[in-house]
Amino acid sequence: MYRAYEKSGVVVIIPEGELDVTNSNTFKNRITEEFLDKGKVNIVIDMSNVGYMDSSALGTIISLYKNCRMNGGSFAIAGLIDTVRRLFSITALDKVVPIYDTVEDAIKSMR
């Protein structure tokens, strides 16, 4: 479902494949349990390996963003492919959630 690593106090999560109604709730719950519930609230989601996402996945992104922010952390998205970036633009989520071209840029923004 995803790989993760920490760099400079930021958890980088790399989902694989599609994020949709079949797995977005599990994705959110696992990240919440593995990281947020343990106080790791600076998170970058590296979306470079996600070729498709639906509205349930957008809800997951919003939920994770809010959870990080409410707990004093930072949240960003990096590496969106064009089709997924368009979804963020159409829904105006790109005006709410910080989006960066690279994980490095996202991590730098959190320092």
Side-chain angles (χ1 to χ4, degrees):
M1 172 170 278
Y2 67 85
R3 295 177 288 122
Y5 65 92
E6 287 189 54
K7 183 172 183 178
S8 302
V10 176
V11 176
V12 179
I13 298 167
I14 309 164
E16 302 284 338
E18 299 181 351
L19 281 177
D20 57 24
V21 68
T22 66
N23 61 13
S24 61
N25 197 47
T26 302
F27 179 73
K28 177 181 73 173
N29 290 340
R30 287 182 62 189
I31 290 171
T32 300
E33 291 169 9
E34 191 172 343
F35 304 108
L36 298 173
D37 288 350
K38 295 176 180 172
K40 297 179 180 186
V41 294
N42 294 314
I43 293 179
V44 172
I45 307 288
D46 178 355
M47 300 285 284
S48 59
N49 293 325
V50 175
Y52 173 80
M53 66 186 294
D54 66 9
S55 60
S56 64
L58 287 176
T60 291
I61 296 296
I62 293 166
S63 177
L64 293 171
Y65 168 78
K66 286 182 178 179
N67 196 326
C68 287
R69 300 291 297 170
M70 287 186 334
N71 288 291
S74 299
F75 182 90
I77 300 288
L80 290 173
I81 65 168
D82 288 341
T83 54
V84 176
R85 184 179 291 272
R86 211 171 7 248
L87 182 60
F88 275 76
S89 178
I90 289 168
T91 60
L93 196 53
D94 60 344
K95 305 285 190 262
V96 178
V97 177
I99 297 173
Y100 297 90
D101 289 334
T102 68
V103 169
E104 282 301 320
D105 288 343
I107 290 172
K108 285 178 188 173
S109 77
M110 295 181 181
R111 291 186 184 148

